[in-house]
């Protein structure tokens, strides 16, 4: 919950900075781990889906920061050529199309329903995959990108599990403006109840 000394903008900046830091660190760790420890495995590991979905729910379009940071970190660790940077980072930004679900379904409904949460993660994965495929056509990397998309299924399963767990944590998988207003309302209700009892 935001400190009374923090403005909403400061709270948002702090929260986004923390998630940006975690995104870079964990993406570097899992990517390095997968390439060093399991180089022959037929899958790739990335936390972009979990971190992107979480930040998208909390802050909407600001999740673009997470998308770019995770993509760039993945490519740097993999020592990918420049075209792959464009494919991965540009493709990740297509996940922002999931913002349409906020408009037509509503963040609270997505958060409150396990089914909508699963669909939310699936839509983000689908949009990111389509974005990567479209960018791959510009660099004749279509076959390679298709391979990575299929290998990412383990990462999507991880993201699904994380989001279903995050739903149960107060304020974690929730629009932060809604969360702060809700906490303030609950605080005032407790104060009113306490005053009424005295």
């Amino acid at each position: 919950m935001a400190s009374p000394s923090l403005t909403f903008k400061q709270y948002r900046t702090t929260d986004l900075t923390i998630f940006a830091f975690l995104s870079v660190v964990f993406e570097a760790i899992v990517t390095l781990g997968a390439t060093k420890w399991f180089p022959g495995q037929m899958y790739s590991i990335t936390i972009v889906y979990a971190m992107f979905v979480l930040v998208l729910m909390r802050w909407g379009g600001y999740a673009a920061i997470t998308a770019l940071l995770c993509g760039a970190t993945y490519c740097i660790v993999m020592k990918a050529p420049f075209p792959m940077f464009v494919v991965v980072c540009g493709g990740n930004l297509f996940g922002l199309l999931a913002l349409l679900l906020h408009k037509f379904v509503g963040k609270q409904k997505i958060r409150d329903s396990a089914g909508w949460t699963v669909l939310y993660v699936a839509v983000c994965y689908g949009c990111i995959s389509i974005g990567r495929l479209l960018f791959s056509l510009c660099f004749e990397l279509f076959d390679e990108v298709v391979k990575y998309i299929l290998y990412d299924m383990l990462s999507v399963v991880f993201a699904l599990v994380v989001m279903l767990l995050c739903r149960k944590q107060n304020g974690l998988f929730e629009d932060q403006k809604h969360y702060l207003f809700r906490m303030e309302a609950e605080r005032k209700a407790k104060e009113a109840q306490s005053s009424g009892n005295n």
Side-chain angles (χ1 to χ4, degrees), residues 94-144:
F94 268 63
L96 294 173
L97 290 173
L99 288 169
L100 292 172
L101 286 177
H102 294 179
K103 181 176 181 180
F104 294 111
V105 177
K107 282 187 174 184
Q108 204 57 33
K109 187 173 182 179
I110 295 169
R111 178 187 181 275
D112 292 341
S113 165
W116 275 110
T117 299
V118 170
L119 183 61
Y120 191 56
V121 174
V123 168
C124 286
Y125 167 68
C127 290
I128 288 172
S129 297
I130 290 170
R132 290 177 179 179
L133 287 173
L134 290 175
F135 277 104
S136 73
L137 295 173
C138 301
F139 301 102
E140 299 181 353
L141 292 169
F142 187 82
D143 290 342
E144 186 174 350

Side-chain angles (χ1 to χ4, degrees), residues 140-181:
E140 299 181 353
L141 292 169
F142 187 82
D143 290 342
E144 186 174 350
V145 171
V146 168
K147 178 184 70 174
Y148 278 110
I149 289 171
L150 293 176
Y151 292 172
D152 268 355
M153 290 307 297
L154 185 62
S155 300
V156 176
V157 172
F158 170 74
L160 284 170
V161 172
V162 170
M163 290 311 108
L164 291 172
L165 291 174
C166 286
R167 286 178 62 245
K168 300 181 182 297
Q169 307 303 313
N170 186 29
L172 186 55
F173 186 61
E174 183 176 359
D175 177 86
Q176 289 303 282
K177 187 175 288 187
H178 178 275
Y179 167 67
L180 293 173
F181 278 128

Side-chain angles (χ1 to χ4, degrees), residues 55-119:
V55 177
L56 191 68
M57 173 57 73
R58 292 171 72 87
W59 297 110
Y62 286 97
I65 299 169
T66 305
L68 291 173
L69 286 175
C70 282
T73 302
Y74 176 83
C75 290
I76 289 170
V77 174
M78 294 289 289
K79 298 179 180 177
F82 176 73
M84 190 57 76
F85 271 81
V86 177
V87 169
V88 174
C89 293
N92 285 357
L93 290 176
F94 268 63
L96 294 173
L97 290 173
L99 288 169
L100 292 172
L101 286 177
H102 294 179
K103 181 176 181 180
F104 294 111
V105 177
K107 282 187 174 184
Q108 204 57 33
K109 187 173 182 179
I110 295 169
R111 178 187 181 275
D112 292 341
S113 165
W116 275 110
T117 299
V118 170
L119 183 61

